[in-house]
Amino acid sequence: MHDRAQVFTLEALVSALLLLGAILFALQATAVTPQSATTASAHSVTQLERVAGGVLDDAAADGSLKRTVLYWDPSAEAFYGLDTYDSGYANGDLPTAFGEQLRRSFAGDGVVYNVEVRYQRPGDDPATRTIVDSGTPSDDAVRVATLVTLYDDDPLYYDDDGSVATAAVPSGDTVSSGSFYAPDDAAGSGVYNVVSVEVVLWTT
């Protein structure tokens, strides 16, 4: 009987050790998960930065970024198609060639974005005008920006027939003659203002 009791005790001890080992393994597996998530998140951020930076560079090179900055309705004092007090276009609704580039690059990926223009004001702090407003960015949002130089005779643009292809038609007004949102920050120089266009992206 004594030997039998020893066998039961040994089996109980082995079972306990196996259970403890299983628990430790599970804890180790759980501990790895945040690191994996962090790695995936870092990869996602890098990917967003690369793609968004490429979109900005391409749009700056082909002029569509500047035309978007100048896609302004002086009579409504808003970007074309928006009311005066609208905060900006909704995600994916920017009706310009630059907006189309953003849609093609991020549609269906669970990525939303804001687009803002930061401009200089003579004798005052810089100000910001929102072009696309998709809400409040997450804490890990990606931000990419580039500079656009505006000149005194740059035309404002409008949408001729409701299509992206014609959202680059000069309206007859210029930044100097129309009620443009950014002021002349370098009067008499030929340069009107140097603005920063920033795209802020995050996943939902």
Side-chain angles (χ1 to χ4, degrees), residues 11-154:
E11 287 178 348
L13 180 60
V14 170
S15 297
L17 289 173
L18 288 173
L19 180 60
L20 179 61
I23 292 172
L24 289 174
F25 180 82
L27 288 174
Q28 286 177 339
T30 303
V32 170
T33 302
Q35 183 177 359
S36 301
T38 300
T39 302
S41 176
H43 176 74
S44 176
V45 166
T46 301
Q47 179 75 359
L48 282 179
E49 287 177 341
R50 184 184 66 79
V51 175
V55 170
L56 268 183
D57 289 345
D58 289 345
D62 66 19
S64 61
L65 182 62
K66 184 172 185 177
R67 290 192 295 272
T68 295
V69 170
L70 299 172
Y71 190 60
W72 182 254
D73 183 351
S75 61
E77 295 188 353
F79 290 101
Y80 268 98
L82 298 179
D83 293 327
T84 303
Y85 298 106
D86 285 340
S87 59
Y89 298 102
N91 187 68
D93 287 347
L94 176 57
T96 66
F98 173 54
E100 182 64 21
Q101 289 174 291
L102 289 171
R103 278 191 294 277
R104 286 200 310 265
S105 299
F106 301 111
D109 292 338
V111 176
V112 293
Y113 48 83
N114 292 340
V115 180
E116 296 182 337
V117 183
R118 186 177 177 85
Y119 53 89
Q120 305 300 317
R121 296 186 296 175
D124 204 345
D125 294 332
T128 300
R129 172 71 63 164
T130 299
I131 300 179
V132 177
D133 183 5
S134 301
T136 303
S138 63
D139 292 338
D140 59 349
V142 171
R143 297 174 181 270
V144 293
T146 192
L147 297 177
V148 176
T149 301
L150 305 179
Y151 297 93
D152 291 341
D153 57 354
D154 276 339

